[in-house]
Every structure is written in C-alpha cells, then in structure tokens.
Amino acid sequence: MLYKVLVVMAFLLATSSAGNFSQDVTITWGGPRGKILSGGQVLTLSLDNYSGSGFESNNQYLYARFDLQLELIPGNSAGTVTTFFLSSQGAAHDEIDFEFLGNSSGQPYTVHTNIFAQGVGNKEQQFRLWFDPTAAFHTYTILWNSFRIMYLIDNIPIRVFNNYAASGVPFPTSQPMKMYASLWNADDWATQGGRVKTDWTMAPFTATYRNYNVNGCIVSASGNSCGTSNTQAWQTQGLDATGRNWIRWVQQKYMIYNYCSDFNRFPQGLPRECRLPRF
C-alpha cells in the first residue's frame, strides 16, 4: 500500500503546465505521419512500411528540464523505436537519449538510455518498466544541468550521470541542444537483437505525445535567456534521500543492462566514471 501511495504522489509531482506543440515544435520528417491535434496539446507520430516520422523543438537550450508525456505503441511493436532525446549538431555532438524499443505482443518494452559527450557515447543503461506504457500516458523527463543529467519516469529517477569533467570524464557543457522525438523502424537490432522483425501487417504504428513542457535556458543569436543566473530549482536539482531510495529500487529490480558492469566489453578497464560515486 505504501508503494502505491508513493507512486501516485510521484506521478502527481510530475505533472506541470504544458506547452503547445503548434508553437513549440516543428514536424521535420514523415509528412502526414506526424500530426498536431487538439489545438496543439497532442502530437502523434506514425510509422508505416514507407517511412517513420519525427519532430524537433523550435528552441535550443544550454541546460534545461524537459518533461513529456508519452503513450507507446500497443500490441505487437517489435522492430519499432520510439524516441525522446536531446542533441546538438556536428561530428563532436552531445546527445542525451531516451529510446523505447518495441517488442512482440505480451513482451515488455525496453527503455534504452545513452549519453554522448563530444561525439562519444558508449554509456548505455537499459531498463524494463514497472507498468504497461501502452495503457496510459506517463511522464518522461530529461533533466540536464551543470551538475548532472537525470532521467526520470513519473518523477521517479532511474538514472543519474554526474558531471565529472574535473576528473577527466567528458560532460555536455557547451553545445546547445534541441529536443527531438521520432518513431522509426529498427528491426535490424531493436527487438531481441534483430531476431524479431517488424510485422508490417500491423501498420501503421502510432505513438502519442502530450504535455510537452520545458524549463530551460534558451540560446539564440541574442544570447542565453538565463544570463548568469542559477536560481531556478531545476538548475541545481539532484537526488535527496527519497530520490536515492527510488533509484536504488529501480536499478535493483528493473535495470537489465549497465555498461559499468560489462567487463567483457571493457577488458582494459571500466570507464572512469564507473569508478566514481554514482549518485
């Protein structure tokens, strides 16, 4: 009962005032497969055997908190990838990924996370979910400030990547990033290593986004909207004692891959950040 109460409280805390897709984002590919509905409050992306679809934020940010509600593809979603991520441009780009890997009917989604700094990623962590992400909307959050990157689901933290640049670990600090979202076919790798392919008789596949909200520092030709201030809560947000308990619970019960535990992948030694405090 206590667990159920805590989940409800976390979900309520995750809600916030929503932006408007018509004003805040642009559908950049997929043509009519991307649709803005309900006066800008809802956006759907679809995938068929010709193309997927995607959108991006109109603004770019240098540190922000991004909250987005998402209802994933129901039924047989094998081979599909639904995304919500941040990225800068260029070969040495920074990127913070939330990817949802579809699966056969009755099998769970895989939540894939990765972080790129100066063009280098290889920081994957993967999770299952403790709920059905196709049955209702849930809030997915990327928090990026100068101290850390945090991934949250319904305001429950699942991953933290601290800024250890002073210890020689690259961290996204200087390249403004836009928010991107997409739905595309990746049946060469997405589901069970590519063994299960997309069933095109089930197309079109549709994912639904709503309640997009950003609190952040907009970067434009006129400068940074935050100036030198560091006064908003998200700019220093980290884990309190409750958050540390939540993240331990998630990682103990629902993490299915952690690059920091993959000694076979890194025979010369784990990456430096894996030997530093996690949270």
Side-chain angles (χ1 to χ4, degrees):
M1 179 61 69
L2 176 61
Y3 163 73
K4 290 181 179 179
V5 171
L6 289 172
V7 169
V8 170
M9 289 175 62
F11 181 79
L12 292 173
L13 286 170
T15 61
S16 59
S17 59
N20 188 293
F21 285 115
S22 297
Q23 300 169 4
D24 298 335
V25 310
T26 299
I27 296 172
T28 49
W29 63 283
R33 296 169 187 83
K35 295 183 173 65
I36 296 175
L37 308 169
S38 302
Q41 298 305 304
V42 175
L43 192 154
T44 61
L45 294 179
S46 293
L47 165 70
D48 57 34
N49 57 339
Y50 294 101
S51 178
S53 48
F55 65 92
E56 67 181 55
S57 64
N58 293 331
N59 292 320
Q60 58 179 351
Y61 301 84
L62 188 58
Y63 303 131
R65 174 175 171 140
F66 299 81
D67 297 280
L68 187 62
Q69 290 193 327
L70 176 58
E71 187 176 70
L72 293 171
I73 302 163
N76 186 358
S77 58
T80 69
V81 177
T82 306
T83 72
F84 160 41
F85 65 102
L86 314 181
S87 184
S88 61
Q89 300 298 311
H93 75 292
D94 297 333
E95 186 172 329
I96 306 171
D97 291 337
F98 237 143
E99 297 183 333
F100 306 89
L101 313 184
N103 214 330
S104 304
S105 296
Q107 298 299 311
Y109 267 82
T110 296
V111 179
H112 178 92
T113 67
N114 198 4
I115 296 163
F116 290 74
Q118 300 168 25
V120 179
N122 301 321
K123 299 175 178 64
E124 300 91 345
Q125 290 184 355
Q126 293 184 336
F127 305 84
R128 301 296 193 203
L129 292 167
W130 51 96
F131 54 85
D132 180 356
T134 72
F137 285 94
H138 291 267
T139 302
Y140 302 89
T141 300
I142 296 174
L143 170 73
W144 169 42
N145 61 33
S146 61
F147 300 99
R148 62 193 57 85
I149 293 163
M150 291 176 57
Y151 293 81
L152 303 98
I153 299 177
D154 292 337
N155 219 43
I156 295 173
I158 67 167
R159 179 178 185 178
V160 173
F161 184 81
N162 289 310
N163 183 351
Y164 285 127
S167 299
V169 179
F171 186 88
T173 58
S174 60
Q175 299 187 72
M177 292 196 270
K178 285 189 172 186
M179 185 280 298
Y180 296 86
S182 59
L183 172 57
W184 50 289
N185 177 49
D187 66 3
D188 57 332
W189 65 270
T191 305
Q192 300 179 34
R195 292 187 296 275
V196 181
K197 302 299 183 182
T198 304
D199 181 359
W200 293 113
T201 66
M202 304 294 292
F205 303 96
T206 301
T208 305
Y209 298 79
R210 73 178 188 186
N211 288 353
Y212 171 59
N213 189 56
V214 185
N215 290 297
C217 302
I218 299 172
V219 176
S220 65
S222 59
N224 187 315
S225 65
C226 292
T228 58
S229 67
N230 202 34
T231 58
Q232 299 182 62
W234 66 266
Q235 292 178 295
T236 56
Q237 184 176 345
L239 291 177
D240 57 13
T242 301
R244 286 189 290 272
N245 287 336
W246 273 121
I247 198 169
R248 290 189 188 102
W249 175 77
V250 171
Q251 294 194 354
Q252 288 171 4
K253 290 183 174 292
Y254 296 100
M255 179 184 282
I256 60 172
Y257 177 79
N258 181 6
Y259 77 108
C260 281
S261 301
D262 195 340
F263 293 93
N264 291 330
R265 183 179 176 187
F266 301 103
Q268 303 305 314
L270 294 173
R272 183 173 300 180
E273 65 270 17
C274 298
R275 306 190 296 272
L276 296 168
R278 292 180 300 159
F279 40 78

